Amino acid sequence: MVSCMTAKQSENPSIVILREGTEDSQGKPQIISNINACQSIVDVVKTTLGPRGMDKLIHQQRSVTISNDGATIIQLLDIVHPAAKTLVDIAKSQDNEVGDGTTSVVLFAGELLNQSKQFIEEGMHPSVIIKGYREAMTKSIDRIRECSIKIAEEEGRRDILKKCAQTSLNSKIISKYKEFFSEMVVQAVEILESDLDKSFIGIKKVTGGSVTDSFLVEGVAFKKTFSYAGFEQQPKKFVNPKICLLNLELELKSEKENAEIRLDSPEDYQKIVDAEWTLIYEKLEKIIASGSQVILSKLPIGDLATQYFADRGLFCAGRVPNDDLLRLAKSTGGVVQTTVNGLTDDVLGTCGVFEEKQLGNERYNFFTQCIGTKSCTIVLRGGADQYIEEAERSLNDAIMIVRRAVKANAVVAGGGAIEMELSRFLREYLRSISGKQQLVINGFAKALEIIPKTLAENSGMDSTDVLNKLRQKHTQDAEDGIWFGVDVINGRCANMYKEFVWEPELVRINVISAATEAACTILSVDQTIKNPKSEQQQAEAAGRLQGTSQQGRPRPQMGRGIRGRGGK
């Protein structure tokens, strides 16, 4: 909208570009505001880092979540600040790409922004900081790849994978049983094919018993599905059965409500009814003719089909979850069919033993001793739902770590050791450059120390004393000192490689790259414009509010009588 003015006023015309009510903030205060918002998120997750980290309880209406997983916590927080949402994105990307290190990536990104805050306040341009951070990131990643320990194809490789899984579980709620679960996780990953698709590792949660009652099923296990009358008459165990996997509904369907059929005699109606029964019986007979003994379908199997199979000594289950059906196809060699025509032996699966067992208060179907098993199921036990939920998140992280270790074939020491080594390396690199970049890269080196510092603080140690000792070790002893970090279990500085605290190099590379990119993205924003709602949106919102009561029901229209056409 351009305002109209007289000739006298045209010397200094006023042009209105943005709608009235638009919020606009820019310049140095805006960058500082974004950094402060991100720092608030960091303060929430900071105390969860490490084996001695604390848990967070997040309450949303009726659901309660207790966790120390960074990605889980940040996703459950209802973050509305646009810049702070960047930290949510990097936590998600770290969880999807690597599975572990979600707290570290948020913590490191926040510290990078904190270090840049003083540069901004002193008048340094954000572009200079961004350039320095990216240069430091490149040097750090190269250094990680240079000093990482390569996993050879030898007998000790499996032990290294177990140590990586244990390192991931160190900070989890099931850390007391890390040896028990690390063996289970490595065994589960070894069962997978070369692509290491995590979706073929199922995790089932069964309340009751101890967590040590958890076990791995080399095959598929899933909870007994909804069943009709006649199900209990079916046999619950087969040896070497043929398995038919269907994506087909096996029950009588009622006609659509809007269907219209004109009949001349009652006999015509009976023919239609008989045709429906004929169709379902033809399907069932074709399934039996194929020699299948276990029939599973993603869609419902009705009471007629259930009783039909029970009378012939066969087992059936409908409404099988899609994930479990795909794992069954992978393990048994079967192919999911959408028709009962052409059920030959090559599309039917088989397994060594099928059995239905009681687990706690539930009944589970087990498919084991499959030839060429390429999928597995971890059955988690525990006394409380919250405990089992957190144990599942912990195992997910451990599985992801082992997968990455198998693919990367290289590990580094944890406990803040690699961060201290990178900090030392960058400080030495500073001597070869000059200008503002020297200050920025020095800030990057300081930010790296936030990981060992926070580990020490969360375990009750003196963080200043710990950092001084680690700097001394990394400077004096170039060979052995490279892997010195914070041993939070024993409260000391130690060689974390000899303590078997290992993690894939990809975890640290992803932490540094993702955190740096997030920090650079936030620093590159110098103006935030928030558009107001348009008049139409405001009217629609007001209309919805007026037309709906607090209980979500339409408000009765008050004060309106009913009139006839000629009424007054």
Side-chain angles (χ1 to χ4, degrees):
M1 181 177 68
V2 181
S3 58
C4 300
M5 301 183 181
T6 62
K8 293 181 180 180
Q9 295 172 328
S10 63
E11 296 178 1
N12 296 313
S14 175
I15 301 176
V16 179
I17 301 296
L18 302 176
R19 185 186 297 275
E20 184 180 355
T22 301
E23 298 179 16
D24 180 16
S25 55
Q26 58 184 321
K28 186 190 299 184
Q30 177 59 32
I31 300 176
I32 300 298
S33 173
N34 289 341
I35 292 174
N36 291 337
C38 294
Q39 199 61 42
S40 301
I41 306 300
V42 173
D43 291 340
V44 173
V45 300
K46 189 175 184 179
T47 56
T48 67
L49 184 70
R52 293 287 184 260
M54 306 300 288
D55 291 351
K56 304 293 179 184
L57 188 149
I58 301 172
H59 186 204
Q60 291 179 318
Q61 296 179 352
R62 293 185 179 182
S63 65
V64 176
T65 304
I66 301 174
S67 177
N68 68 352
D69 181 62
T72 303
I73 294 170
I74 286 187
Q75 288 179 35
L76 291 175
L77 295 177
D78 193 8
I79 298 172
V80 295
H81 194 282
K85 285 183 178 180
T86 307
L87 298 185
V88 181
D89 294 336
I90 62 171
K92 286 181 180 178
S93 70
Q94 180 76 12
D95 195 36
N96 294 333
E97 180 68 20
V98 185
D100 198 14
T102 50
T103 306
S104 299
V105 72
V106 174
L107 194 57
F108 183 48
E111 187 60 22
L112 283 176
L113 291 170
N114 193 35
Q115 290 293 330
S116 64
K117 184 177 179 181
Q118 57 181 333
F119 300 142
I120 298 291
E121 290 173 342
E122 291 170 0
M124 187 180 292
H125 197 277
S127 297
V128 177
I129 303 174
I130 291 171
K131 182 180 178 182
Y133 277 179
R134 285 181 173 157
E135 183 181 352
M137 177 189 73
T138 304
K139 294 291 181 182
S140 298
I141 292 175
D142 291 342
R143 177 59 181 164
I144 291 176
R145 288 177 174 150
E146 178 187 337
C147 66
S148 62
I149 298 163
K150 306 302 182 284
I151 307 175
E153 295 286 343
E154 55 188 20
E155 295 180 1
R157 186 170 183 269
R158 195 173 192 276
D159 291 333
I160 293 177
L161 296 178
K162 287 175 63 177
K163 296 299 182 185
C164 289
Q166 290 177 22
T167 302
S168 173
L169 295 173
N170 269 336
S171 59
K172 307 300 183 183
I173 196 170
I174 53 176
S175 59
K176 186 178 178 182
Y177 311 103
K178 61 182 181 181
E179 290 86 2
F180 174 76
F181 282 107
S182 63
E183 173 65 32
M184 188 182 297
V185 166
V186 173
Q187 188 177 351
V189 173
E190 288 177 341
I191 289 174
L192 300 179
E193 288 183 325
S194 58
D195 60 350
L196 300 179
D197 189 347
K198 192 176 80 64
S199 63
F200 291 112
I201 300 178
I203 299 180
K204 302 298 179 183
K205 296 164 287 187
V206 184
T207 307
S210 168
V211 69
T212 54
D213 293 334
S214 305
F215 57 93
L216 176 72
V217 178
E218 294 188 20
V220 182
F222 58 85
K223 184 179 175 182
K224 181 182 83 70
T225 60
F226 177 84
S227 55
Y228 292 89
F231 179 82
E232 295 303 331
Q233 300 173 23
Q234 296 178 351
K236 301 300 186 293
K237 184 175 182 179
F238 288 99
V239 177
N240 296 322
K242 288 186 178 180
I243 302 170
C244 180
L245 306 177
L246 300 172
N247 186 6
L248 182 68
E249 197 171 11
L250 293 176
E251 63 180 353
L252 290 169
K253 293 183 180 180
S254 60
E255 294 296 337
K256 300 293 183 183
E257 294 178 358
N258 59 353
E260 182 178 345
I261 302 175
R262 296 187 179 184
L263 304 173
D264 296 330
S265 65
E267 290 77 11
D268 294 338
Y269 177 74
Q270 187 61 42
K271 289 179 182 178
I272 295 174
V273 175
D274 292 341
E276 293 176 353
W277 285 79
T278 302
L279 287 174
I280 185 70
Y281 276 122
E282 284 180 356
K283 291 179 181 179
L284 300 179
E285 288 169 0
K286 287 180 180 178
I287 293 173
I288 292 174
S290 68
S292 303
Q293 295 169 286
V294 177
I295 299 95
L296 305 172
S297 179
K298 179 182 174 182
L299 298 177
I301 295 180
D303 50 357
L304 171 67
T306 302
Q307 187 65 56
Y308 190 88
F309 290 134
D311 293 342
R312 287 152 182 81
L314 307 180
F315 177 90
C316 71
R319 296 188 176 94
V320 177
N322 187 53
D323 291 343
D324 293 323
L325 204 64
L326 293 177
R327 291 190 198 104
L328 273 169
K330 195 74 170 178
S331 287
T332 63
V335 180
V336 179
Q337 300 292 303
T338 56
T339 177
V340 294
N341 296 318
L343 291 179
T344 55
D345 288 344
D346 58 333
V347 299
L348 298 179
T350 185
C351 67
V353 177
F354 163 75
E355 191 173 7
E356 186 172 294
K357 298 180 184 177
Q358 189 79 17
L359 279 183
N361 198 33
E362 305 288 349
R363 286 159 67 180
Y364 270 72
N365 297 324
F366 289 85
F367 297 81
T368 56
Q369 300 179 21
C370 304
I371 300 175
T373 298
K374 298 298 180 183
S375 70
C376 58
T377 306
I378 296 174
V379 179
L380 272 180
R381 305 298 305 276
D385 289 337
Q386 292 294 339
Y387 188 90
I388 299 177
E389 293 284 348
E390 180 64 5
E392 181 190 17
R393 287 189 284 269
S394 304
L395 282 185
N396 177 70
D397 288 0
I399 291 169
M400 291 290 287
I401 284 295
V402 174
R403 289 174 64 243
R404 292 302 172 189
V406 171
K407 288 185 176 181
N409 282 323
V411 296
V412 295
I418 189 65
E419 284 80 10
M420 290 302 299
E421 171 59 22
L422 293 177
S423 180
R424 179 204 64 79
F425 173 76
L426 289 176
R427 284 195 170 95
E428 286 187 1
Y429 172 69
L430 292 177
R431 300 173 186 174
S432 62
I433 60 176
S434 60
K436 293 180 181 179
Q437 294 298 316
Q438 194 178 50
L439 294 173
V440 176
I441 295 177
N442 187 52
F444 193 97
K446 285 183 180 178
L448 284 165
E449 294 181 350
I450 191 64
I451 302 297
K453 180 182 178 182
T454 307
L455 285 172
E457 288 176 351
N458 290 349
S459 58
M461 301 166 65
D462 186 347
S463 59
T464 305
D465 183 49
V466 169
L467 285 179
N468 287 335
K469 288 181 179 178
L470 288 177
R471 289 193 193 106
Q472 184 181 10
K473 284 287 186 183
H474 281 261
T475 304
Q476 291 178 352
D477 194 347
E479 294 183 4
D480 192 43
I482 187 176
W483 299 126
F484 263 80
V486 185
D487 183 2
V488 297
I489 304 297
N490 301 311
R492 60 192 176 94
C493 297
N495 187 320
M496 303 312 290
Y497 185 75
K498 292 183 178 178
E499 294 290 331
F500 304 112
V501 180
W502 302 338
E503 55 188 351
E505 67 170 11
L506 189 62
V507 176
R508 292 298 118 186
I509 290 175
N510 210 72
V511 164
I512 291 173
S513 59
T516 305
E517 290 298 332
C520 292
T521 301
I522 293 170
L523 289 173
S524 65
V525 176
D526 71 334
Q527 185 174 6
T528 301
I529 302 171
K530 184 177 180 182
N531 292 325
K533 288 184 178 180
S534 65
E535 295 178 1
Q536 181 180 357
Q537 289 175 326
Q538 291 176 356
E540 290 176 356
R544 286 195 298 268
L545 185 63
Q546 182 179 1
T548 307
S549 64
Q550 293 180 352
Q551 290 79 16
R553 298 173 181 173
R555 290 183 183 273
Q557 301 294 328
M558 306 300 293
R560 292 187 180 180
I562 301 176
R563 295 184 180 182
R565 290 183 178 271
K568 293 183 180 180

